[in-house]
Amino acid sequence: MAEDKQQSVQRKREDPDQPMVLPGIHRYQFFTNLKDRGWTQNLDRISLFGIVGALLATIVKPLLRGNPATIYCYECRACYATQDRCPVGIAFQAELVVAGRVGDYDRFIRNGGLKCIRCGNCQSYCVQYLPLPQMFATMQEDTRLAMSKGIVPNHSLQNALAQGLVGKEFIDDVVKAMG
């Protein structure tokens, strides 16, 4: 009779090398069984590689572009409070910061980046105390360089001119890039 009980217990356990567990916990054996961990380890490595890759792109790109302060913006949108105080009427300064971080010239132009006069009114609203005028100036120069190389699409420049999103300092460069 004792042998029958022992055999029935051994038949229920898939791996006799696993430690004995309390009744009802046998369903958690998957996590302790090393032969089943190959797939989960590989999936963990792949997902970790993706996370590290995205993090590096977020950090390295602004460093290489010469605009490292954009990394510290956590897009709280506090600078949106300056909409009424911006002398040129830029509504979404955080969009300019994000565009500067990722190097998205079209987004920068669409949100009035070439219209910014770098007055600093938005800087007082930033909870991170980021140097917004300097960040915008860096991105403006990058955009000017990209326009001279023909990287910025013409339709984006045409829309910016039609909507009045280009400041007087950049009109000649925009027209030259379109021409």
Side-chain angles (χ1 to χ4, degrees):
M1 180 82 164
E3 289 180 19
D4 290 335
K5 276 189 172 178
Q6 189 176 17
Q7 286 179 355
S8 67
V9 170
Q10 285 181 350
R11 273 185 260 144
K12 285 185 182 177
R13 291 181 60 90
E14 293 178 22
D15 191 355
D17 295 332
Q18 293 292 315
M20 293 297 286
V21 293
L22 296 172
I25 302 183
H26 63 278
R27 62 180 168 255
Y28 296 116
Q29 274 188 328
F30 170 77
F31 297 110
T32 61
N33 194 346
L34 295 178
K35 68 182 176 188
D36 294 330
R37 292 183 105 187
W39 278 105
T40 57
Q41 282 181 345
N42 288 335
L43 289 175
D44 288 346
R45 288 180 185 140
I46 290 170
S47 62
L48 184 63
F49 180 72
I51 291 168
V52 168
L55 182 64
L56 285 176
T58 303
I59 292 174
V60 171
K61 202 170 188 180
L63 290 175
L64 293 177
R65 292 187 173 281
N67 211 352
T70 58
I71 297 169
Y72 300 108
C73 175
Y74 54 84
E75 301 174 45
C76 67
R77 310 283 196 255
C79 54
Y80 285 9
T82 187
Q83 291 176 357
D84 296 333
R85 294 196 178 170
C86 182
V88 293
I90 297 174
F92 307 117
Q93 286 84 4
E95 293 295 323
L96 299 179
V97 176
V98 173
R101 180 185 308 144
V102 297
D104 188 353
Y105 304 115
D106 185 43
R107 186 177 189 176
F108 187 75
I109 293 170
R110 264 185 293 134
N111 287 292
L114 293 180
K115 192 165 72 168
C116 178
I117 59 171
R118 299 173 303 278
C119 65
N121 284 347
C122 53
Q123 189 170 5
S124 62
Y125 289 91
C126 183
V127 296
Q128 287 289 92
Y129 306 108
L130 296 176
L132 296 176
Q134 290 84 6
M135 291 166 32
F136 299 156
T138 302
M139 188 59 185
Q140 285 174 340
E141 291 306 314
D142 288 348
T143 305
R144 180 180 279 172
L145 184 64
M147 284 188 303
S148 69
K149 291 182 179 179
I151 297 172
V152 180
N154 274 347
H155 67 83
S156 134
L157 297 174
Q158 289 171 351
N159 290 340
L161 276 177
Q163 295 172 8
L165 298 175
V166 180
K168 63 180 181 179
E169 169 181 356
F170 298 99
I171 288 178
D172 291 337
D173 294 323
V174 170
V175 171
K176 189 173 165 185
M178 287 174 30

